[in-house]
Amino acid sequence: MATRNVVKKEDPILRKQSRVVTKFDERLWELLDDMAETMYADEGVGLAAVQVASLKRAVVVDIQDGRGITELINPVIVERSGEQNELEGCLSVPGRAGIVKRPMHVTVRAMNRRGETFEISGSGLTARAFCHE
């Protein structure tokens, strides 16, 4: 594992559309491991692959609630409810934060690193992290 550079808001890659992941191989696993290490090193709770200059639909989230890291490949929000307005920051926009309106509860359908589909639900900070990434 290695930390990668987090691209900043000025980088045009952040405005490009990421591609659906179709290969669930060692390169993807290395990317996910590096993303987790980078997220922890920068004290974040979530990181999208595009933030480390990889145009893949891959996300890592760990809100430090004891559940550990959640990897979401090709994630889609399939259900949302409620509302919350909370302070959010972004590793690609260091030193800045703002109040953002998000659902209070979401369910996400995604794939794991082996290409297996699953659904996961979260509320509060977890829902915000899933939506943000």
Side-chain angles (χ1 to χ4, degrees):
M1 292 194 321
T3 58
R4 298 189 184 198
N5 292 326
V6 176
V7 298
K8 303 305 180 221
K9 68 178 180 174
E10 301 82 15
D11 194 314
I13 196 168
L14 292 174
R15 288 173 273 298
K16 293 186 178 184
Q17 186 171 11
S18 294
R19 295 182 293 275
V20 172
V21 174
T22 57
K23 291 175 91 174
F24 296 83
D25 58 9
E26 289 180 12
R27 289 185 66 195
L28 174 65
W29 303 343
E30 181 180 353
L31 171 65
L32 292 168
D33 292 341
D34 289 354
M35 287 170 59
E37 186 167 325
T38 302
M39 176 186 68
Y40 292 132
D42 287 352
E43 299 180 2
V45 297
L47 188 70
V50 69
Q51 290 179 275
V52 292
S54 178
L55 286 174
K56 294 183 180 188
R57 291 187 186 170
V59 171
V60 294
V61 172
D62 185 351
I63 65 161
Q64 309 292 317
D65 65 351
R67 287 195 288 178
I69 195 156
T70 301
E71 298 174 340
L72 304 168
I73 314 300
N74 303 324
V76 176
I77 296 172
V78 295
E79 185 179 308
R80 64 185 81 208
S81 63
E83 182 179 299
Q84 59 180 314
N85 295 289
E86 297 293 336
L87 189 64
E88 275 185 35
C90 180
L91 295 178
S92 291
V93 188
R96 305 234 10 221
I99 300 293
V100 179
K101 182 172 151 180
R102 300 273 188 206
M104 179 56 80
H105 179 84
V106 297
T107 299
V108 177
R109 181 176 300 126
M111 301 171 106
N112 64 23
R113 64 172 51 212
R114 293 175 302 284
E116 301 162 335
T117 301
F118 68 98
E119 286 191 2
I120 186 169
S121 296
S123 297
L125 179 57
T126 302
R128 285 201 323 269
F130 288 167
C131 290
H132 180 100
E133 300 308 331

